[in-house]
């Protein structure tokens, strides 16, 4: 999950790293919401219903990038380098094992479908 504003940098970085194939989708989400909690601390207890409205969902991009085990570290490093600002909201990377893959057009399966 990354900031929308970092999408262009991410595309370039992945391409330059030899990882040009991925899927990106618009998503909504939120993290811990520290900024929203700080605002909520000043809310009068009689108006606590306002607190539930404060942690708003933010627009992000979810990138799905499936790579071989050998390219996993390169992919993670590239995503971090392209998206890290040091500020809350930089994003999150989930590394998940994939059971397999099949190229629909040819019926090939396994790692060769990822290149």
């Amino acid at each position: 999950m990354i900031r929308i504003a970092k999408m262009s940098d991410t595309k370039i970085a992945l391409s330059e790293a030899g990882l040009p194939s991925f899927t990106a989708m618009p998503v909504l989400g939120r993290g811990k919401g520290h900024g929203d909690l700080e605002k909520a601390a000043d809310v009068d207890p009689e108006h606590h219903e306002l607190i539930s409205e404060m942690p708003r969902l933010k627009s992000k991009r979810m990138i799905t990038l499936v790579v071989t085990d050998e390219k996993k570290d390169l992919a993670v490093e590239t995503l971090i380098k392209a998206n890290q600002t040091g500020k809350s909201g930089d994003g999150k990377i989930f590394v998940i094992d994939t059971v397999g893959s099949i190229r629909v057009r040819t019926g090939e399966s396994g790692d060769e479908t990822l290149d």
Side-chain angles (χ1 to χ4, degrees):
M1 309 294 172
I2 65 169
R3 299 174 190 273
I4 292 173
K6 288 295 205 169
M7 195 63 217
S8 183
D9 292 343
T10 301
K11 289 190 290 187
I12 292 167
L14 288 171
S15 184
E16 288 175 352
L19 304 168
S21 301
F22 65 89
T23 301
M25 297 183 296
V27 294
L28 297 173
R30 60 180 290 271
K32 294 179 184 177
H34 290 297
D36 293 329
L37 293 175
E38 289 169 8
K39 292 175 193 170
D42 295 331
V43 174
D44 182 345
E46 292 182 26
H47 297 97
H48 276 271
E49 68 274 3
L50 296 175
I51 295 172
S52 64
E53 296 176 19
M54 287 190 178
R56 294 218 158 75
L57 298 177
K58 297 188 179 204
S59 295
K60 297 281 188 174
R61 287 291 180 264
M62 182 171 75
I63 295 174
T64 303
L65 173 66
V66 182
V67 297
T68 62
D69 287 340
E70 293 78 26
K71 293 182 179 179
K72 177 188 68 165
D73 291 339
L74 172 64
V76 169
E77 291 167 12
T78 301
L79 289 168
I80 290 172
K81 186 176 178 184
N83 289 280
Q84 190 175 57
T85 68
K87 297 178 183 174
S88 178
D90 278 351
K92 192 149 303 182
I93 299 171
F94 300 93
V95 178
I96 303 169
D97 286 334
T98 302
V99 176
S101 64
I102 301 167
R103 182 174 284 134
V104 174
R105 179 177 50 88
T106 63
E108 294 171 281
S109 63
D111 287 354
E112 62 264 13
T113 65
L114 304 178
D115 291 328

